[in-house]
Amino acid sequence: MTSIGIDTNVLLRMVLNDDAEQRAKALAFGEGLSDDAPGFVSLIVLVEFSWSLISRYRLPKEQMQAAIQRLLKVKTLLFEDFDAIVIALERSNLPQVDFADALITEHNRNLGCSHTVTFDQRAAKSIASMELLA
């Protein structure tokens, strides 16, 4: 099996309807994916995707989370560190927890890190495995 990497802008076009021509191409690409040639979504792309939906497209956090949850159900998409994504989505249900911060800390934990340091006071207060570097 050989997977095909998907960039953030293609993933966004699959979900949003802000550019009809690019959306049609992205959806056609998605329909061409298979078990033998799935699309691959890296954590970098997923963090950028979530940031874009909230910052650029001004979607509420709940809509961003729902978009990621829908993508996770697509059988022809593979996700880097799927389990970390699921846990980060669960943690980000709390109002003060940012999905990207939760994903970073969970992925780091999966890679053997004892904790993640940050200058983000809110993240350090809301995520147990994130510590303020002071």
Side-chain angles (χ1 to χ4, degrees):
M1 167 180 69
T2 302
S3 57
I4 302 163
I6 300 175
D7 191 20
T8 308
N9 53 23
V10 174
L11 201 61
L12 285 166
R13 294 299 87 68
M14 289 175 158
V15 171
L16 300 171
N17 196 13
D18 62 333
D19 183 313
E21 184 179 338
Q22 287 186 356
R23 179 169 170 79
K25 289 177 183 178
L27 292 176
F29 164 77
E31 289 171 8
L33 296 173
S34 67
D35 291 338
D36 293 328
F40 178 76
V41 180
S42 71
L43 293 183
I44 295 166
V45 165
L46 200 57
V47 166
E48 191 175 43
F49 176 84
S50 69
W51 182 88
S52 295
L53 290 179
I54 289 174
S55 297
R56 182 166 187 247
Y57 294 96
R58 307 273 188 227
L59 292 183
K61 179 178 170 178
E62 296 76 21
Q63 287 183 9
M64 176 274 298
Q65 291 170 313
I68 293 173
Q69 288 168 340
R70 284 192 305 275
L71 289 172
L72 291 176
K73 294 177 183 174
V74 177
K75 292 180 170 63
T76 55
L77 292 179
L78 292 176
F79 292 85
E80 179 184 3
D81 206 349
F82 183 91
D83 293 339
I85 297 166
V86 172
I87 291 169
L89 278 171
E90 290 171 5
R91 287 187 181 151
S92 69
N93 281 327
L94 297 171
Q96 68 276 18
V97 177
D98 178 72
F99 169 74
D101 290 333
L103 183 58
I104 290 165
T105 57
E106 186 58 26
H107 182 64
N108 287 348
R109 188 190 66 74
N110 287 347
L111 293 173
C113 297
S114 61
H115 60 283
T116 299
V117 296
T118 185
F119 288 116
D120 184 339
Q121 292 181 3
R122 193 185 89 196
K125 287 180 184 176
S126 61
I127 301 171
S129 59
M130 191 169 265
E131 294 183 13
L132 190 62
L133 187 61

